[in-house]
Amino acid sequence: MKPTVYRATLAISLASSAAAASACAQERQHPPSQPTTTEAPTATPLYDNLGALEYPVTTSSPTAQQYFNQGLRLTYAFNHDEAI
């Protein structure tokens, strides 16, 4: 193998190794994010101005039916983040 080819191969190999080591070190330095608050989640509001679309589900709770209908209406309105 020619010296210039050998040097280029060695340089690429060292650069790859350094990049991999750097990525591993960054992963170790940053632990997975943890919730920082212990506050209770706020209640999800029920909106009364989203239309009249309803789909009956098997539940004995009228509130659960209202939340389901609201999520369905928001989904059809392409507001997926709010529907979740």
Side-chain angles (χ1 to χ4, degrees):
M1 191 179 278
K2 293 183 180 182
T4 55
V5 174
Y6 178 76
R7 287 184 195 144
T9 305
L10 180 62
I12 291 171
S13 177
L14 289 174
S16 298
S17 298
S22 175
C24 290
Q26 287 177 355
E27 286 178 18
R28 280 184 265 129
Q29 291 175 356
H30 302 289
S33 60
Q34 299 290 329
T36 57
T37 62
T38 57
E39 298 174 11
T42 59
T44 303
L46 278 169
Y47 301 110
D48 59 357
N49 58 350
L50 297 177
L53 179 63
E54 294 184 15
Y55 188 85
V57 293
T58 307
T59 182
S60 59
S61 170
T63 305
Q65 181 68 56
Q66 289 175 331
Y67 276 115
F68 179 84
N69 289 337
Q70 176 171 297
L72 185 65
R73 293 172 191 148
L74 289 167
T75 300
Y76 276 123
F78 293 98
N79 193 345
H80 300 145
D81 290 337
E82 186 69 24
I84 290 170

